[in-house]
């Protein structure tokens, strides 16, 4: 798992979400809303969710082609 130290708003991450967020950042699936923020109190746009899902699918080969 990656450290969230580079994010200035890391203390706003809920305890129940911290491990999963560290995994997502460490895996390169999630990058934050800027180089130094996660915006854990904000919602995710469709574009952000699509980018997350594409990275997840690519990273773990979740699509089986014909």
């Amino acid at each position: 798992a990656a450290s969230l130290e580079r994010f200035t708003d890391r203390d706003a991450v809920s305890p129940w979400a911290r491990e999963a967020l560290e995994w997502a950042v460490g895996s390169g699936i999630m990058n934050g809303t800027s180089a130094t923020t996660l915006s854990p109190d904000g919602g995710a746009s469709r574009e952000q969710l699509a980018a997350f899902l594409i990275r997840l699918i690519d990273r773990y080969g979740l699509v089986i082609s014909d």
Side-chain angles (χ1 to χ4, degrees):
S3 170
L4 301 180
E5 288 303 310
R6 69 180 169 118
F7 299 106
T8 58
D9 55 355
R10 65 188 169 276
D11 291 337
V13 175
S14 296
W16 61 265
R18 183 167 293 277
E19 184 179 353
L21 196 51
E22 288 171 343
W23 168 82
V25 169
S27 298
I29 293 170
M30 188 172 236
N31 299 318
T33 53
S34 78
T36 60
T37 58
L38 289 165
S39 301
D41 292 327
S45 69
R46 285 183 226 157
E47 294 85 356
Q48 289 169 321
L49 181 57
F52 179 91
L53 291 173
I54 289 168
R55 291 181 196 131
L56 182 68
I57 289 165
D58 286 347
R59 173 116 167 106
Y60 293 100
L62 299 175
V63 173
I64 301 170
S65 57
D66 293 336

